[in-house]
Amino acid sequence: MLQTQRPQSGSLPSPILFFSSLILLLVFPLFPLAAVCLDGSPPAYHWDKGYGTGINSWLIQLEGGGWCNNVSSCLVRKNTHLGSSKRMVKQIPFSGILNNKHFYNWNRIKVRYCDGSSFTGDVAAVNPVSYDFSSWQWQDNPGSDIPPPYRGLKMVTNLHFRGARVWLAVVEDLLSKGMRNAENAILSGCSAGGLASILHCDSFRALLPMGTKVKCISDAGYFINTRDVSGGHYIQTFFDQLVATHVLILSLSPHRYNI
Ligand SMILES: *[C@@H]1O[C@H](CO)[C@@H](O)[C@H](O)[C@H]1NC(C)=O
């Protein structure tokens, strides 16, 4: 079983951008800082409101999209829709479980993924990484915003590693918008979002009222720690770098996740 606590420090109410899937209802930057995307922009979700018999049923899908495992890859991601709500389109077609006919009149929410850590980072400091770019190659990183003259210097990355705060801020925002009256609530996700739905299932359960029927679905969200086809340790190495970069030693520690 997994047990979670809230992110530790500085959990102020957070700005959330809220997009409707069908109609642009509101975009509201609520409060300052705390829960933000890699680039410091507010997190966001799309919401198609429930109605009729589905009005108190909630289906959440956590968006997937891999991870960024080091400063270079997080800097590249920062300038995409997977790292910044400034790069997100306001309307998207709902697909997968969100498009399943059984949930047609539920509240359907797609939480956008913009932290690069499956919603697990909880680092208060901005730009916590001083990085030696002496081995960094411009031609290998054409999408990056690090020009060659800065090679070898300490970088001002302006990166935020706050995925766990994004998770908590989104759930609290949804609770305030009616999810606290939920009769049914499902947390789902695919790939990096599927891993997030495993990691946050117990916190989801704990944040909802005792009477709510809660289920979690992880679609392709379990990444086996074994050798890859070429005999290497790709997964182990990659997740090791992910944990180091987003400082997950704190937010995934056994004190917080009873595993
Ligand atoms: C960062 O990780 C990517 C894989 O995501 C890898 O290709 C790249 O070489 C790494 N960069 C550094 C500086 O370690």
Side-chain angles (χ1 to χ4, degrees):
M1 289 296 284
L2 307 173
Q3 279 186 345
T4 62
Q5 292 170 1
R6 295 178 171 209
Q8 291 154 333
S9 49
S11 294
L12 298 169
S14 304
I16 306 272
L17 294 180
F18 148 57
F19 310 134
S20 163
S21 66
L22 304 175
I23 316 158
L24 178 61
L25 293 175
L26 278 173
V27 178
F28 46 113
L30 297 177
F31 313 104
L33 288 181
V36 289
C37 300
L38 279 172
D39 72 331
S41 63
Y45 60 81
H46 304 267
W47 180 17
D48 187 32
K49 280 195 181 183
Y51 60 92
T53 54
I55 201 157
N56 285 323
S57 293
W58 295 71
L59 174 63
I60 296 177
Q61 185 191 54
L62 301 174
E63 185 181 19
W67 306 268
C68 63
N69 57 313
N70 57 39
V71 170
S72 311
S73 57
C74 288
L75 282 171
V76 172
R77 179 174 286 244
K78 181 167 92 112
N79 297 321
T80 73
H81 64 89
L82 290 172
S84 172
S85 55
K86 292 178 200 160
R87 306 293 174 117
M88 295 172 190
V89 293
K90 301 213 174 356
Q91 293 184 36
I92 53 164
F94 276 5
S95 59
I97 196 171
L98 290 178
N99 198 28
N100 185 297
K101 63 181 178 184
H102 296 293
F103 306 113
Y104 75 99
N105 64 353
W106 286 36
N107 291 281
R108 296 178 297 156
I109 286 117
K110 177 149 186 162
V111 183
R112 299 303 298 267
Y113 179 37
C114 66
D115 62 275
S117 71
S118 282
F119 300 88
T120 57
D122 183 22
V123 181
V126 179
N127 186 35
V129 189
S130 295
Y131 200 79
D132 180 2
F133 278 88
S134 52
S135 62
W136 187 86
Q137 298 293 315
W138 173 247
Q139 57 271 30
D140 294 341
N141 297 270
S144 163
D145 57 3
I146 312 157
Y150 298 108
R151 227 178 275 169
L153 299 179
K154 287 193 172 178
M155 292 298 301
V156 177
T157 64
N158 202 34
L159 284 170
H160 301 68
F161 298 120
R162 296 191 180 170
R165 298 178 185 209
V166 169
W167 158 255
L168 188 62
V170 167
V171 173
E172 290 193 333
D173 199 57
L174 293 173
L175 287 167
S176 76
K177 290 189 164 68
M179 197 170 68
R180 68 173 81 259
N181 303 315
E183 291 162 12
N184 303 294
I186 297 176
L187 178 64
S188 69
C190 183
S191 189
L195 176 59
S197 73
I198 295 174
L199 293 172
H200 289 301
C201 184
D202 281 6
S203 106
F204 188 56
R205 165 70 279 180
L207 287 160
L208 283 159
M210 288 299 289
T212 308
K213 195 191 279 186
V214 178
K215 305 284 178 192
C216 301
I217 300 169
S218 175
D219 181 1
Y222 183 64
F223 296 85
I224 302 165
N225 182 11
T226 189
R227 285 176 190 271
D228 55 43
V229 284
S230 54
H233 292 278
Y234 179 82
I235 285 284
Q236 187 179 325
T237 305
F238 187 87
F239 278 93
D240 193 52
Q241 293 168 356
L242 180 67
V243 165
T245 301
H246 295 260
V247 202
L248 305 182
I249 196 76
L250 295 175
S251 49
L252 293 179
S253 83
H255 302 296
R256 307 186 70 186
Y257 290 86
N258 190 17
I259 46 181

